[in-house]
């Protein structure tokens, strides 16, 4: 049956909705081959019809079926790439501009290029808003209630520079009382835990 | 966001692609030369008129419509009269997940093969009757993995969204402080990494 391999790709994206599986070069190559093969066969039959050697209308259903299969394959391929890029875009907002190496190794080279260009445009846009140096759209995902918050460090992170220039050493299971703006990113990356009360 | 994406005008929709991959019985009306391999039971080069096959609905639908139809499509088994009777009796008791993963979305395609419109009526009736149960589940249950067993993918999406919204509302009603949390993807990524490490050891 045509289009089986292409659906395999879509299933793969469907299985890992929140993460990226390794870019499946192998399967994509196979789907490409199938598409090329179908188009070539169609050309052949179409040319045979034009030459008028056989009953001209006989091949119409065949060509039709093949053409539909080509369209289907294309749709699956495009959907695979589109949904991967969507996931990648979400990752920019969740992980920040630096992706963990495990994820990076799963990207194709054009996906990696897309990610860095998306990051650049986003940074440029954020700098351009307002008068004084722009707005960080990644900050304050929830409305702030106080300037300082209490946090607990979840791992031995090492040195970290705060917004005012002081450097502190983050150790596992230590508590800090810090400006909210300094903590937010680290909380999102699960280095800090926000303590309430 | 993911719910909106599932509807058929969306070219990239994963759900739509998977739903249209489901097979339906059909019969060829004309000879199709050179495509004998579509029929795994025969070894001929050509596909003869009158052959009955089960083909994915993405292929059947365009081929069976229009003036030059080369396929006559049948209703998929789960939308035939006996199954419709079961659904009419009590939609809530049915395990839709076993019927088909994409019961409603597949039904949207299948309904075009049913001229009398019974399939469409059944789909709507089933959804309306079951929706109350889903809402009830989403509002009142903890996240029990067994709950979503009998739901099809659309219902499952609704259930999870509803449950999430209810949890958020409850948290907001109870808590005064707004806790900052790690991003979802980050948490999942870390969990996965931990499993990988254990594999290596």
């Amino acid at each position: 049956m045509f289009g089986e391999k292409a659906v395999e790709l879509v299933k793969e994206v469907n299985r890992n909705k929140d993460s990226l599986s390794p870019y499946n070069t192998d399967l994509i190559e196979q789907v490409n081959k199938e598409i090329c093969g179908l188009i070539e066969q169609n050309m052949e039959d179409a040319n045979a019809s034009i030459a008028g050697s056989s009953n001209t209308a006989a091949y119409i259903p065949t060509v039709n079926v093949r053409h539909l299969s080509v369209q289907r394959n294309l749709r699956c391929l495009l959907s695979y790439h589109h949904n991967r890029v969507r996931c990648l875009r979400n990752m920019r907002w969740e992980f920040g501009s630096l992706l963990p190496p495990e994820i990076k190794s799963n990207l194709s080279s054009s996906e990696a290029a897309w990610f860095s260009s998306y990051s650049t445009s986003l940074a440029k846009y954020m700098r351009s808003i307002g008068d004084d140096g722009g707005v960080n759209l990644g900050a304050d995902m929830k409305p702030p209630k106080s300037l300082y918050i209490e946090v607990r460090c979840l791992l031995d992170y090492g040195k970290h520079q705060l917004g005012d220039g002081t450097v502190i050493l983050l150790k596992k299971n230590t508590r800090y009382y810090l400006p909210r703006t300094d903590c937010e990113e680290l909380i999102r990356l699960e280095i800090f835990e926000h303590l309430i009360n | 966001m993911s719910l909106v994406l599932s509807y058929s005008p969306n070219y990239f929709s994963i759900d739509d692609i998977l739903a249209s991959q489901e097979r339906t019985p059909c019969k060829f009306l004309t000879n199709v030369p050179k495509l004998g391999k579509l029929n795994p039971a025969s070894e001929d080069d050509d596909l003869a008129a009158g052959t009955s096959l089960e083909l994915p609905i993405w292929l059947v639908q365009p081929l069976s419509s229009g003036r030059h139809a080369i396929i006559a499509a049948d209703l998929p088994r789960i939308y035939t009269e006996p199954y419709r009777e079961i659904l009419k009796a009590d939609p809530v008791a049915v395990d839709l997940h076993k019927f088909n993963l994409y019961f409603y979305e597949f039904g949207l395609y299948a309904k075009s093969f049913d001229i009398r419109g019974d399939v469409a009526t059944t789909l709507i009736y089933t959804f309306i009757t079951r929706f109350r149960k889903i809402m009830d589940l989403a509002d009142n249950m903890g996240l029990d993995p067994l709950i979503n067993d009998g739901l099809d993918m659309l219902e499952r999406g609704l259930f999870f969204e509803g449950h999430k919204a209810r949890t958020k509302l409850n948290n907001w009603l109870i808590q005064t402080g707004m806790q900052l949390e790690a991003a979802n993807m980050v948490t999942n990524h870390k969990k996965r990494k931990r499993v990988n490490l254990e594999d290596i050891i």
Side-chain angles (χ1 to χ4, degrees), chain B residues 114-129:
Chain B
D114 171 54
I115 314 151
R116 281 185 301 166
D118 288 345
V119 173
T121 330
T122 313
L123 284 178
I124 292 175
Y125 175 71
T126 312
F127 184 77
I128 291 174
T129 322

Side-chain angles (χ1 to χ4, degrees), chain B residues 26-106:
Chain B
C26 58
K27 199 172 181 183
F28 279 83
L29 300 173
T30 51
N31 281 324
V32 185
K34 291 196 179 180
L35 284 182
K37 65 175 174 201
L38 281 185
N39 182 5
S42 86
E43 284 179 359
D44 297 339
D45 262 359
D46 298 353
L47 202 65
T51 319
S52 291
L53 279 181
E54 285 218 331
L55 291 177
I57 211 151
W58 59 262
L59 187 63
V60 174
Q61 205 192 20
L63 289 181
S64 64
S65 57
R67 244 185 303 157
H68 299 291
I70 61 171
I71 284 180
D74 259 341
L75 271 183
R77 201 168 45 94
I78 50 166
Y79 303 106
T80 49
E81 184 81 42
Y83 282 83
R84 287 209 300 272
E85 286 299 320
I86 298 176
L87 283 172
K88 213 182 278 172
D90 187 5
V92 181
V94 173
D95 186 342
L96 268 197
H97 196 75
K98 280 205 182 115
F99 269 44
N100 192 296
L101 272 184
Y102 297 93
F103 180 80
Y104 296 109
E105 311 230 1
F106 187 33

Side-chain angles (χ1 to χ4, degrees), chain B residues 96-198:
Chain B
L96 268 197
H97 196 75
K98 280 205 182 115
F99 269 44
N100 192 296
L101 272 184
Y102 297 93
F103 180 80
Y104 296 109
E105 311 230 1
F106 187 33
L108 283 181
Y109 286 98
K111 78 176 197 304
S112 61
F113 308 145
D114 171 54
I115 314 151
R116 281 185 301 166
D118 288 345
V119 173
T121 330
T122 313
L123 284 178
I124 292 175
Y125 175 71
T126 312
F127 184 77
I128 291 174
T129 322
R130 288 173 65 94
F131 184 68
R132 196 176 300 160
K133 176 189 162 195
I134 297 165
M135 235 173 92
D136 192 31
L137 283 178
D139 270 355
N140 294 318
M141 295 272 209
L143 213 47
D144 174 359
L146 288 178
I147 283 180
N148 55 46
D149 255 13
L151 305 180
D152 105 315
M153 293 312 265
L154 175 74
E155 292 175 338
R156 218 172 260 210
L158 284 174
F159 169 73
F160 279 120
E161 290 299 316
H163 185 78
K164 224 166 34 185
R166 169 52 72 173
T167 324
K168 268 185 188 162
L169 179 66
N170 282 351
N171 282 348
W172 183 76
L173 287 173
I174 297 166
Q175 282 181 358
T176 43
M178 190 88 71
Q179 190 178 21
L180 297 174
E181 281 162 349
N184 229 338
M185 276 181 167
V186 177
T187 324
N188 286 341
H189 180 71
K190 291 224 165 127
K191 279 182 200 158
R192 210 157 280 148
K193 219 158 78 181
R194 232 164 268 155
V195 174
N196 287 346
L197 268 181
E198 279 164 18

